[in-house]
């Protein structure tokens, strides 16, 4: 069964840091892109950042310079280091994986979401 297991969310004060992790199950055949999206109450889900299998990254403008995405291909795990957190970063954060199946077709997977709350 394909799973993405997220961890690391929680409550943090403005200016603080959190690190999110997302581990993909071994049954996912070929992972291409891994990334993070977020959705705040009343807003659409938006891209936070993503990383390719070769390590190329891109980020939303709102998090550039504060968030860093990385991945461990051997562990099929993606991380999101969040520094200098702001109240507007409060959202449910979702892990995302884009992979290629053994038959060559693409497949997308989503984590269950982890809450990040930035508040004093």
């Amino acid at each position: 069964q394909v799973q993405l297991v997220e961890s690391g969310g929680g409550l943090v004060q403005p200016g603080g840091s959190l690190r999110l992790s997302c581990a993909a199950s071994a049954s996912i055949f070929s992972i291409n892109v891994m990334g993070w999206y977020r959705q705040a109450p009343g807003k659409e889900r938006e891209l936070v950042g993503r990383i390719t299998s070769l390590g190329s990254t891109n980020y939303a403008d709102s998090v550039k310079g504060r968030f860093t995405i990385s991945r461990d291909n051997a562990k099929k795990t993606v991380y999101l280091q969040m520094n200098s957190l702001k109240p507007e970063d409060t959202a449910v954060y979702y892990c995302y994986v884009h992979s290629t199946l053994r038959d060559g077709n693409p497949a997308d997977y989503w984590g269950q979401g982890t809450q990040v709350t930035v508040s004093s």
Side-chain angles (χ1 to χ4, degrees), residues 91-105:
V92 177
Y93 284 69
Y94 296 91
C95 175
Y96 162 78
V97 165
H98 176 73
S99 70
T100 302
L101 300 176
R102 294 182 185 275
D103 63 8
N105 288 319

Side-chain angles (χ1 to χ4, degrees), residues 26-103:
S27 60
I28 298 181
F29 175 59
S30 177
I31 296 176
N32 302 317
V33 178
M34 305 183 83
W36 294 91
Y37 284 71
R38 68 185 181 186
Q39 188 167 18
K43 295 187 177 181
E44 294 186 353
R45 189 174 296 190
E46 62 175 0
L47 173 70
V48 176
R50 58 189 174 194
I51 182 168
T52 70
S53 57
L54 297 180
S56 295
T57 59
N58 64 291
Y59 298 93
D61 287 343
S62 59
V63 306
K64 283 181 181 177
R66 299 188 298 122
F67 291 10
T68 302
I69 191 168
S70 60
R71 64 190 277 177
D72 184 328
N73 290 330
K75 295 181 178 180
K76 295 188 176 181
T77 300
V78 62
Y79 306 96
L80 183 67
Q81 178 66 43
M82 304 184 291
N83 298 328
S84 301
L85 282 161
K86 304 175 181 180
E88 51 263 44
D89 294 317
T90 296
V92 177
Y93 284 69
Y94 296 91
C95 175
Y96 162 78
V97 165
H98 176 73
S99 70
T100 302
L101 300 176
R102 294 182 185 275
D103 63 8

